[in-house]
Amino acid sequence: MNSTREQQRAIKILAIGTLTDQVSGTSVNLSSLVENLGRRADVEFTFVNTALRGGGALGGLERTLRTFWSVFREARRADVVTFHMNEPQKGVPIWLLARLWRKPFLVRWFGGVDYRSHGSALRRAAAKFMLRRADVNLIQTKRLVRESLEDGSACSLWFSNSRPLPAPLPDAPGDVCRRFMFAGHVKPTKGIHELIEAGECPWSASISS
């Protein structure tokens, strides 16, 4: 009887991240996650938004303390604590709360910024600390997955950014798409060459920056 109840009980997930009105890959994918998990019947989902805007230094301090208290309270109730950020080293205080309540801690690393070379020595050290302490790291690029495992991560998995299309795309002539539009930073790490290869025809890419 107890095992049946345990199987039927919705898993309680606490997610912490920053959502603002600013359009970016991070905000679009995080808002999609919040939306989708909020609709699921098998998940009891709580999201704590860490966005701090306006109000000066005093207002910022007040919102920081309020946010920290929300995380402290919700982490106790959760089955798993998750942190979603393009700068995961900022999650060290949240990792401490997860450990305080003995909850599994998952970090989703947005972006492909190399934590080994980006930022100050303190920032790089904090990023490696997070890698080694998190129970699971979900990382956007396969290169960073390899590097994180080399640096002592217990579990790092490739988790690319993607989201479901709102409706099926209409069939293109011959069932092959020949025209692509790319909007973003024009550089190899964004997959420009792979996009050209995907066209499967001898056309020249028109790139404007």
Side-chain angles (χ1 to χ4, degrees), residues 30-80:
L30 183 53
S31 62
S32 176
L33 175 76
V34 171
E35 230 178 89
N36 292 333
L37 287 181
R39 289 198 297 259
R40 291 186 57 152
D42 58 342
V43 172
E44 189 176 320
F45 182 68
T46 302
F47 178 69
V48 175
N49 193 353
T50 59
L52 303 172
R53 304 179 71 178
L58 190 59
L61 177 61
E62 180 188 354
R63 284 192 296 277
T64 298
L65 293 175
R66 192 181 302 161
T67 299
F68 192 79
W69 170 250
S70 295
V71 174
F72 176 85
R73 184 184 64 242
E74 298 298 337
R76 182 181 182 182
R77 303 170 183 169
D79 293 316
V80 59

Side-chain angles (χ1 to χ4, degrees), residues 5 9 35 38 85 93:
R5 280 203 200 108
R9 184 178 72 83
E35 230 178 89
M85 187 69 69

